[in-house]
Amino acid sequence: MDVGTRIALIEAGSPGLNIYSHVAMGRGVPLLATVVRDAGYDVRAYIEDISGKDSVDWEWVRTAAVVGFSTITCTLPRTLELVEHLRSVNPGAVVVFGGPESTCHPARSFECGADCVLKGEAEHTLPRLLDIITGRSAGRLGEVPGLMWRAEGGIAEGLPVRQLTAAELDALPPVDRTLIHSAEGASVASVWRTRGCPGKCDFCEVRELYPRCVRRSDERTLEELMAAQSDGYATTFLIDDNAAASKPAFVKFLESIVDRGYARMLVIQMRADAAFRSDGRLDREFLRLLKKAAAVTVVCVGVESATDANLEELGKQTDANRTARALKAMRRRGLLVHGMFIALKNDTCEVIARNGVYARRYVTSLQYLFETPLPGTRRTREHEADGSLLFTSVRDLRLYDGMHVVLQPLKMPAEEMQVRVLREYRKFYSAVRIVSAALRGAFLRFRLLDRGQRAYLRQVRGIRRLRLWLRLHFEYKFAPVAFIATGRARLKAMLRDAEYAAYLELLSKSSAALRSDGDQGASSARSAVR
Ligand code: B12
Ligand code: SF4
């Protein structure tokens, strides 16, 4: 049976306003679109965070044989809306779900209308599944690793998920971003280097998704990084959850970036203690290299907490003083530090305030997320067992974006925790701090361009070179201002949003019901407020 070769891949947008709403980038869909195109299909990728809400071209999707949806937990409700619309315009399409949420909680994806769920990495398995669905191959569904599908009598499951090897990752094609609908809306290019993380943090889903940490060859990553620069992306996000996990390899990679002439903004994720050498002293050479590698290097660091007891609870294997030393050294050497903190359910008012003070002292931009029970992790199982989940219906999963309290706090009412954390955000993203960053930028922050940036400038001539030279300097000087100002704008928009007011009301009802109705069980309490 040949049911056509048109395939749509859709990544539903973020559920609401949050501090990263301005980051317009996709996750795995552009690469999946590339391999599906290479397998001979007519494919389009729709990423709402790039092209905007309601930007899916339904006229095109109406004739698609298969529609794939990429999910994370907080985008599941929006995915459900899109599936419902799809069913009204194209009832015959086969709906395939994949991505982190579907991999770790496939049952919820079936609840949202999936015909199949394809768990794990799908660059090899999706083309195989499409061949079976479209009749190009005579294979059987059970032969596709990671596949679950609706069958008579329930959900059937095929072979177990298989993670790709380094050689298989190297053999994947370079991502073709032209397959993204309205790709010009993307503000950041994502270039991946590693899949998985050697870390074992209990709250994190990465090790459920990628049990082994596999790095592809630098050559492939560098090719994509340089292609992103020549395609005009001013910022690249290096997808590598713990980039300095192997420091010698990362140093080699950074040196190659300089050699190739990378010159724009580079965002990396790294543990703070990578700033130290194995003898415990600061690794000044490494920090210098990080700065050299881009016009502006942004280091995202999972600080989590300024309280050692919390760090121990999370298995971070470090302490707040050591982290502070590392962050201070990074900033002194001109790096931008995006500090990522977590509000845990047993935090006290003092802990929250201490995190705020620590953030204002040591980081350039702040992400202070509420712990969110992502499916598949050990901490989520514990939260489920002790009845801490305030919201569990698919509709409410939009609140699982880290900007909303979704676990019942132990030491204060849920609304208070929400308000207190948001207060720390407001203090961080204050007008005074913008002015102070601007003054520091104008008078204290400057750099000499390095080999990579100079090579980049040499490629352009005349007035364009001068403009670019000025731009690189201004970006460096005022990037902290831009970061704080953007965070402030995001925060203000979120606080003014009607949806946020509605959430606060729902939160106080849900939390009161959970508190007062402990005996009857958490779920009946929650349904009472619905
Ligand atoms: C880049 C990134 C971001 C970016 C942009 C994200 C975006 N557009 O949503 C920013 C910084 C903005 C961000 C924000 C957040 N993120 Co984020 N992010 C990532 C990160 C680091 C990389 C994603 C990526 O590109 N991976 C590489 C690609 C190749 O992998 P992939 O997307 O998983 O795709 C593969 C498979 O999943 C599968 N697949 C994917 N889609 C589909 C579709 C179909 C049809 C099929 C068959 C298969 C399939 O095949 C792909 C190729 O092998 C991941 C961690 C990670 N290492 O993956 C976290 C991650 C995706 N983020 C996560 C979360 C929770 C968030 C936030 C809520 C904040 C937070 N609490 O940390 C926000 C919410 C964002 C939103 N959209 O609302 C979680 C998601 C877990 C979950 N169940 O929800 C992850 C897994 C990290 C974690 N610690 O657990 N994030
Ligand atoms: S270091 Fe980061 S990516 Fe790795 S397990 Fe811990 S939180 Fe997850």
Side-chain angles (χ1 to χ4, degrees), residues 197 199-201 203-204 206 241-242:
C197 171
K200 300 206 176 336
C201 309
F203 58 89
C204 174
V206 168
D241 291 293
N242 191 347

Side-chain angles (χ1 to χ4, degrees), residues 75-152:
T75 62
L76 200 61
R78 173 68 187 150
T79 307
L80 172 60
E81 280 173 23
L82 292 168
V83 171
E84 281 169 355
H85 189 74
L86 170 72
R87 294 293 188 203
S88 70
V89 297
N90 182 355
V94 177
V95 172
V96 183
F97 274 43
E101 157 69 18
S102 303
T103 297
C104 296
H105 199 321
R108 272 202 299 236
S109 294
F110 283 111
E111 221 182 290
C112 292
D115 295 312
C116 320
V117 170
L118 190 49
K119 297 186 288 180
E121 292 162 297
E123 285 91 351
H124 283 194
T125 51
L126 184 58
R128 225 165 130 185
L129 173 64
L130 294 177
D131 285 353
I132 297 173
I133 294 174
T134 58
R136 281 189 181 183
S137 112
R140 288 183 303 119
L141 294 177
E143 292 162 2
V144 182
L147 185 69
M148 297 175 78
W149 68 98
R150 288 181 197 277
E152 261 176 53

Side-chain angles (χ1 to χ4, degrees), residues 425-464:
Y425 265 122
R426 282 159 73 164
K427 285 192 201 162
F428 189 94
Y429 290 114
S430 70
V432 172
R433 298 189 81 249
I434 295 178
V435 173
S436 127
L439 290 173
R440 272 200 308 276
F443 299 110
L444 298 175
R445 202 176 146 82
F446 55 89
R447 71 171 292 172
L448 294 174
L449 295 183
D450 254 292
R451 207 153 38 90
Q453 295 98 49
R454 289 200 304 270
Y456 176 63
L457 283 177
R458 276 198 296 275
Q459 293 167 15
V460 276
R461 303 249 156 256
I463 189 75
R464 277 196 57 225

Side-chain angles (χ1 to χ4, degrees), residues 99-278:
E101 157 69 18
S102 303
T103 297
C104 296
H105 199 321
R108 272 202 299 236
S109 294
F110 283 111
E111 221 182 290
C112 292
D115 295 312
C116 320
V117 170
L118 190 49
K119 297 186 288 180
E121 292 162 297
E123 285 91 351
H124 283 194
T125 51
L126 184 58
R128 225 165 130 185
L129 173 64
L130 294 177
D131 285 353
I132 297 173
I133 294 174
T134 58
R136 281 189 181 183
S137 112
R140 288 183 303 119
L141 294 177
E143 292 162 2
V144 182
L147 185 69
M148 297 175 78
W149 68 98
R150 288 181 197 277
E152 261 176 53
I155 303 296
E157 187 158 7
L159 296 172
V161 175
R162 190 182 70 81
Q163 199 181 336
L164 299 182
T165 61
E168 286 169 331
L169 291 181
D170 275 345
L172 294 175
V175 64
D176 180 356
R177 293 196 181 80
T178 62
L179 296 170
I180 307 173
H181 179 65
S182 302
E184 62 287 354
S187 60
V188 178
S190 66
V191 171
W192 60 273
R193 173 171 178 257
T194 308
R195 295 195 176 173
C197 171
K200 300 206 176 336
C201 309
D202 283 352
F203 58 89
C204 174
E205 210 181 73
V206 168
R207 66 176 165 158
E208 316 298 327
L209 299 167
Y210 302 102
R212 284 178 295 113
C213 183
V214 186
R215 196 171 65 235
R216 70 170 167 180
S217 70
D218 279 356
E219 193 45 41
R220 299 302 322 282
T221 310
L222 289 164
E223 263 169 37
E224 284 197 15
L225 185 76
M226 297 314 292
Q229 174 164 287
S230 25
D231 288 349
Y233 284 94
T235 306
T236 297
F237 190 124
L238 187 70
I239 307 291
D240 187 339
D241 291 293
N242 191 347
S246 162
K247 204 161 163 193
F250 190 46
V251 164
K252 207 165 139 245
F253 176 72
L254 290 171
E255 281 164 351
S256 310
I257 291 185
V258 177
D259 291 345
R260 297 282 172 114
Y262 184 74
R264 306 313 301 269
M265 188 180 287
L266 180 68
V267 185
I268 62 158
Q269 306 171 86
M270 197 179 82
R271 273 183 70 96
D273 35 26
F276 299 110
R277 299 190 319 206
S278 51

Side-chain angles (χ1 to χ4, degrees), residues 386-436:
D386 63 24
S388 302
L389 273 59
L390 288 164
F391 306 101
T392 50
S393 72
V394 166
R395 196 189 57 173
D396 289 340
L397 294 180
R398 73 196 150 84
L399 302 173
Y400 280 40
D401 65 350
M403 297 302 293
H404 302 88
V405 171
V406 292
L407 292 171
Q408 178 70 56
L410 298 174
K411 313 256 170 74
M412 68 188 88
E415 319 80 274
E416 184 177 345
M417 180 173 267
Q418 178 75 31
V419 169
R420 280 185 182 274
V421 169
L422 270 283
R423 192 179 295 154
E424 295 308 324
Y425 265 122
R426 282 159 73 164
K427 285 192 201 162
F428 189 94
Y429 290 114
S430 70
V432 172
R433 298 189 81 249
I434 295 178
V435 173
S436 127

Side-chain angles (χ1 to χ4, degrees), residues 348-363:
T348 57
C349 306
E350 292 71 42
V351 166
I352 295 173
R354 193 179 311 137
N355 281 346
V357 172
Y358 188 97
R360 291 194 290 282
R361 193 169 295 160
Y362 298 116
V363 307

